Amino acid sequence: ITTNGTLLRKEVRRFLIENNFSTMVSLDGPQKMHDVARRFKNGRGSFQEIEPLIKALTREAAYAGMGIQGRTTLNRYHLEHVEELYDFLDRKMEFSAISTPLIHRPAPAEFNFSEADLPQLEADLGRLGDRVVDRAAREGKLPSYGLFSFLDVLRERARPTRGCAAGRRAVTVDYDGKLYPCERFIGQLDYCLGDVFSGQLRLD
């Protein structure tokens, strides 16, 4: 399950851990990075509200022998701060693994990378890679950064070996309980599969 962390109350955290959920939390870095995009409907940033809830979840999960994954959507506001971003997610938030997909359309234009941004992004990722190599040499293992498997795919120009997980290994619940095959279908009612309240699923 992937969550933005806003509802990680004590009883929710206990449910996730007791039922052995594989849990991933969306967090776009420290407050100055996160609050740029992750705002409540009233415009208020969400960082201060979710940080203590996420830290409680990672601590309680670790006590139960489980890990919590972090997920950051890398966008152009992270340029020149990629090392700081990973250091925060890894060292401060203590996620067991970090997934970092690149932002893609139809995201708002201000968050998308332009061709002019690519040299800076390459430099940022290069410095991060150097740090990872140094750390691996000291600790004897690579940190669990999902970004590097993604970069391997780009380097090798590999094609996906499996299709989309929508409706097979994944399902998305939107804010009002409607079910969709994945997050890209949210709001397209023709693809709504049902809702969590009725228990009825449309499988045709």
Side-chain angles (χ1 to χ4, degrees):
I1 188 171
T2 303
T3 172
N4 61 20
T6 55
L7 300 180
L8 287 175
R9 301 179 299 271
K10 186 174 182 179
E11 62 271 23
V12 174
R13 301 195 303 267
R14 183 186 302 117
F15 178 86
L16 294 173
I17 293 170
E18 288 180 352
N19 289 279
N20 200 31
F21 271 80
S22 174
T23 304
M24 181 180 289
V25 182
S26 294
L27 184 68
D28 283 352
Q31 185 169 6
K32 65 182 180 181
M33 300 181 198
H34 178 86
D35 281 350
V36 171
R38 306 276 185 171
R39 296 180 175 274
F40 291 109
K41 189 175 181 179
N42 63 9
R44 180 171 55 90
S46 60
F47 181 87
Q48 288 189 326
E49 183 163 326
I50 67 174
E51 184 198 23
L53 300 177
I54 297 171
K55 283 186 172 180
L57 177 64
T58 56
R59 182 178 62 249
E60 292 161 6
Y63 183 77
M66 298 170 59
I68 301 298
Q69 299 180 61
R71 183 189 190 281
T72 289
T73 301
L74 202 66
N75 63 69
R76 70 185 318 270
Y77 285 99
H78 289 119
L79 288 173
E80 300 185 41
H81 302 288
V82 173
E83 292 178 86
E84 179 185 354
L85 165 68
Y86 271 83
D87 190 61
F88 174 80
L89 297 173
D90 192 3
R91 308 284 189 181
K92 300 291 179 59
M93 299 305 296
E94 300 182 295
F95 288 121
S96 61
I98 301 168
S99 172
T100 318
L102 297 176
I103 199 163
H104 57 78
R105 291 179 176 82
E110 64 179 300
F111 295 101
N112 283 318
F113 294 105
S114 68
E115 188 171 351
D117 294 324
L118 296 183
Q120 181 63 58
L121 180 60
E122 181 179 4
D124 290 346
L125 296 176
R127 285 193 297 271
L128 178 64
D130 290 341
R131 287 187 59 175
V132 168
V133 170
D134 290 341
R135 179 176 168 185
R138 292 194 310 271
E139 301 178 1
K141 65 177 182 179
L142 284 169
S144 184
Y145 292 172
L147 179 62
F148 292 103
S149 60
F150 171 73
L151 292 176
D152 280 341
V153 171
L154 292 182
R155 183 191 62 194
E156 300 295 335
R157 293 178 170 80
R159 294 187 178 186
T161 58
R162 61 189 180 194
C164 175
R168 298 187 303 112
R169 295 182 293 107
V171 68
T172 292
V173 185
D174 75 358
Y175 68 92
D176 63 357
K178 289 188 179 67
L179 296 167
Y180 294 91
C182 80
E183 70 275 8
R184 292 177 178 84
F185 289 95
I186 288 178
Q188 300 184 50
L189 295 180
D190 287 345
Y191 295 94
C192 180
L193 303 177
D195 65 78
V196 298
F197 303 108
S198 69
Q200 300 295 316
L201 284 178
R202 197 190 90 194
L203 300 177
D204 57 349

